[in-house]
Amino acid sequence: MFPQAILARAAAPCRAAARPSSSIFRAAAAMPLRAKLLPQQQPQSRMMSSSSFAHFTPCPNDDPEDVLFQSLYGLRTIELNRPSKLNALNGSMIRKIAPRLLEWSKSDMANVIVIKGAGRKGFCAGGDVQQLVEWNRDPTIDGPAKSAAYFAQEYKLNHLIATYNKPYIAFMDGFTMGGGVGLSIHAPFRIATENTVFSMPETTIGFFPDVGASFFLPRMAGEVGTWLALTSGQLKGVNAFYAGVATHYLHSSSLNALESRLAELRFKDYDQMSRRLEVVNDTIEEFVTGLPWEEPMAVAGEVRRAIDRCFGFDTVDEIMQALKEEEKNEVTGEWATKTLNTLHLRSPTSVHVTLKQMRIGKTWSITEAFKREHSIATKFMSYPDFNEGVTAKLVEKPRRVPMWQPASLERFAEKKDWKELVGSFFLVDDKGPKFKLLSEETYDKYPFKNFGVPTEEEVEQKVAEGKVKSRAEVLEHFVRERRQKQGVEVVVSEILLRKTKEGKKGLTWVYGEEAPGHQE
């Protein structure tokens, strides 16, 4: 399905890439010391090949100051440095971050990696999609191919992070959206603060949730991931932690002290990755100062039940009908009306494609997710909704309502070939050139998931063992297992109240219809 030029540009996204890969060092020499690339070494693991660096050759117009690097003892820090753009991720930044991570992965001196954003408002508010639209509309170049090359570099970086061989910590302090999610969500440690605003807002601009969203969103509890994906919903502050997006919640004033403490960590040469992660986790927990109890769980109770009721269907039409029925509910009716209005503002094509993505993405491995997403992203670059959505929402002032094609969800449903249109985004050309990641390392579940609060799946498994007789016993188990971790009691209590029933036969998990909050 892909033109040959697209994958060719993926390896050479700018004219500078036509030079031999060794030119990366000459180009880097013009950078300030803190952004200078390290000399290339021979690869020492199957994660990297000798050609890995060639995928990220600097371009002539790359900003030398958009990413800053610092080393303090064993700590290596990446600071996204475009605060005026809320640290929006562009190709120049990717071409600095990936080579550094490759080098650090081979260095015995680099123990822990921290990534953070400059300024007070954003970790990273997404990818620089305005640049992509400029390329797509430039008649002098093959714009969609150049945009596809950008996504190729971005997804290679995301996959590198997802399979990284060092403890990697993301400070999600501020806006963490789109491209910023790709830099953080696959990390074993994701720290939310009172400033965190998490979102995958792609359906707002005529795109789809990418950067590995095909992997992590369908694996969220119930239909929360589907709800976030279709509506571009937000999780703010501590709610990113409660929902499992973040593994820890700290006040932003503690982050600098945490960095200094992480720099002091020392590992033994024979320490396995699991042991190193445990040490890092214990270190982060030293800086926990409590939860903001004035902020209740936003995705809980009746709203959470409504999300599972309404977003569990396989077609958009069924979801819309369920939301209309939910409007009759005295408790969640207002939520349903707001959600319906929100969906009507999103790109109809994006909503349909995203729903299909959520349904089949849960079967993809982490490697397949990025490969399939590159195929979908390439197709969106030639579809009118992306250019229109970005222009209407981000470029033009004042902002306006995008003119989608088709114009509405109702118009989309009237198209006789709408199923074929949605399906075309997922077609894979087995005979065409393949998008390749830096390695084929993969997994079907995140390998390090016990650093956050317990998941709904974990609680269900504990109840299904039949060894616990009450909610109190289950709660005690997880509080003890997580060593008194903050948030465990809040999250597990909510799950138990919503999904279990206490009776004469003990504690049972209720499937389908939600559980009552009382004893039999």
Side-chain angles (χ1 to χ4, degrees):
M1 293 298 292
F2 306 145
Q4 186 71 33
I6 290 178
L7 291 183
R9 283 177 181 264
C14 57
R15 291 184 180 179
R19 297 174 294 182
S21 60
S22 61
S23 64
I24 187 172
F25 311 118
R26 294 197 297 272
M31 298 179 183
L33 180 61
R34 55 185 171 179
K36 186 177 180 180
L37 295 172
L38 300 174
Q40 185 171 346
Q41 303 175 9
Q42 291 301 314
Q44 297 180 5
S45 74
R46 67 190 184 92
M47 176 184 287
M48 298 155 287
S49 67
S50 58
S51 62
S52 294
F53 290 85
H55 294 277
F56 304 101
T57 304
C59 295
N61 295 326
D62 284 357
D63 180 355
E65 296 281 350
D66 54 14
V67 183
L68 307 179
F69 301 98
Q70 294 181 350
S71 298
L72 179 62
Y73 304 119
L75 176 67
R76 301 295 180 266
T77 302
I78 303 167
E79 183 174 18
L80 311 179
N81 191 39
R82 299 180 73 202
S84 64
K85 298 284 187 180
L86 295 178
N87 299 316
L89 186 69
N90 60 19
S92 172
M93 301 165 78
I94 294 170
R95 289 187 286 273
K96 293 182 182 67
I97 297 170
R100 278 298 177 107
L101 288 176
L102 289 170
E103 284 293 342
W104 290 338
S105 71
K106 299 178 293 181
S107 171
D108 293 334
M109 302 297 292
N111 291 330
V112 179
I113 315 299
V114 164
I115 187 167
K116 62 182 182 179
R120 298 181 178 180
K121 294 184 178 180
F123 163 64
C124 177
D128 194 352
V129 291
Q130 296 184 45
Q131 177 64 76
L132 302 182
V133 170
E134 290 180 15
W135 289 340
N136 292 343
R137 289 177 169 171
D138 188 342
T140 65
I141 62 172
D142 187 349
K146 193 169 183 178
S147 295
Y150 165 83
F151 288 118
Q153 288 192 330
E154 183 181 23
Y155 299 166
K156 287 174 183 178
L157 172 59
N158 297 153
H159 179 262
L160 175 62
I161 293 169
T163 57
Y164 204 56
N165 65 345
K166 303 268 187 179
Y168 179 103
I169 308 166
F171 288 0
M172 302 165 65
D173 185 30
F175 288 102
T176 305
M177 300 179 174
V181 174
L183 297 176
S184 57
I185 195 67
H186 308 294
F189 302 107
R190 309 174 299 278
I191 299 177
T193 74
E194 74 279 6
N195 303 317
T196 299
V197 180
F198 170 91
S199 178
M200 292 299 292
E202 286 76 12
T203 58
T204 305
I205 58 171
F207 197 46
F208 76 108
D210 63 334
V211 299
S214 302
F215 189 85
F216 70 83
L217 284 177
R219 288 166 173 80
M220 293 185 72
E223 298 300 330
V224 173
T226 303
W227 165 68
L228 290 171
L230 267 60
T231 65
S232 300
Q234 295 183 348
L235 296 172
K236 297 181 179 181
V238 71
N239 275 288
F241 169 65
Y242 288 147
V245 168
T247 57
H248 297 78
Y249 178 85
L250 271 65
H251 195 275
S252 59
S253 60
S254 301
L255 296 179
N256 288 338
L258 172 59
E259 273 193 79
S260 298
R261 179 71 180 91
L262 290 169
E264 299 172 356
L265 297 183
R266 297 290 185 272
F267 301 126
K268 295 180 175 62
D269 292 341
Y270 54 80
D271 282 344
Q272 298 294 317
M273 180 65 161
S274 58
R275 172 56 184 162
R276 297 179 185 222
L277 293 175
E278 288 175 3
V279 172
V280 172
N281 182 62
D282 291 344
T283 303
I284 297 173
E285 291 291 345
E286 293 176 13
F287 293 83
V288 168
T289 56
L291 298 171
W293 298 108
E294 71 278 7
E295 295 183 37
M297 289 183 67
V299 187
E302 293 302 322
V303 170
R304 173 57 203 284
R305 291 182 176 117
I307 288 174
D308 287 355
R309 276 197 298 269
C310 297
F311 284 87
F313 297 97
D314 293 334
T315 68
V316 174
D317 183 62
E318 288 176 298
I319 290 174
M320 300 298 282
Q321 290 300 322
L323 286 168
K324 291 176 182 177
E325 186 67 25
E326 194 72 27
E327 286 186 293
K328 303 174 185 177
N329 190 303
E330 293 183 0
V331 178
T332 57
E334 184 178 348
W335 169 86
T337 298
K338 181 180 178 180
T339 304
L340 277 168
N341 293 337
T342 296
L343 287 172
H344 277 109
L345 294 174
R346 305 299 181 242
S347 160
T349 302
S350 293
V351 169
H352 280 81
V353 170
T354 298
L355 179 58
K356 184 176 179 68
Q357 173 197 9
M358 293 300 102
R359 294 298 175 256
I360 65 177
K362 64 180 65 177
T363 67
W364 293 346
S365 68
I366 190 68
T367 297
E368 186 177 7
F370 286 116
K371 291 181 176 180
R372 296 293 295 271
E373 284 181 5
H374 185 262
S375 172
I376 300 171
T378 299
K379 295 178 175 68
F380 263 106
M381 292 304 98
S382 298
Y383 196 78
D385 275 12
F386 176 74
N387 290 345
E388 169 63 14
V390 172
T391 301
K393 289 294 185 180
L394 301 176
V395 177
E396 294 185 356
K397 306 297 182 187
R399 297 178 180 178
R400 60 176 174 82
V401 176
M403 299 177 65
W404 305 121
Q405 298 182 33
S408 66
L409 290 169
E410 290 75 17
R411 290 286 182 87
F412 193 98
E414 292 172 0
K415 289 176 61 68
K416 294 181 179 180
D417 62 342
W418 71 266
K419 291 184 179 180
E420 289 76 11
L421 173 61
V422 172
S424 68
F425 283 88
F426 296 87
L427 293 177
V428 177
D429 184 5
D430 293 330
K431 298 180 180 179
K434 301 296 188 296
F435 166 60
K436 294 183 179 180
L437 298 164
L438 297 181
S439 80
E440 290 300 316
E441 294 191 25
T442 193
Y443 47 75
D444 296 320
K445 293 183 178 180
Y446 284 117
F448 308 109
K449 64 178 183 178
N450 291 329
F451 299 120
V453 293
T455 64
E456 194 164 300
E457 181 182 10
E458 290 177 90
V459 177
E460 179 184 354
Q461 290 174 351
K462 187 62 183 176
V463 173
E465 290 177 359
K467 298 178 181 180
V468 290
K469 302 300 182 182
S470 67
R471 291 171 179 151
E473 289 182 50
V474 177
L475 182 59
E476 181 183 359
H477 164 79
F478 283 106
V479 169
R480 183 174 61 252
E481 182 190 63
R482 292 299 204 274
R483 295 185 295 174
Q484 310 296 318
K485 180 182 178 69
Q486 71 170 8
V488 170
E489 184 175 355
V490 177
V491 172
V492 174
S493 294
E494 191 280 328
I495 294 172
L496 290 171
L497 188 64
R498 178 169 45 83
K499 295 296 294 182
T500 63
K501 182 185 296 184
E502 287 184 322
K504 296 179 181 179
K505 297 181 180 181
L507 188 67
T508 57
W509 189 266
V510 178
Y511 298 92
E513 193 63 27
E514 57 277 355
H518 60 272
Q519 298 182 358
E520 287 183 343

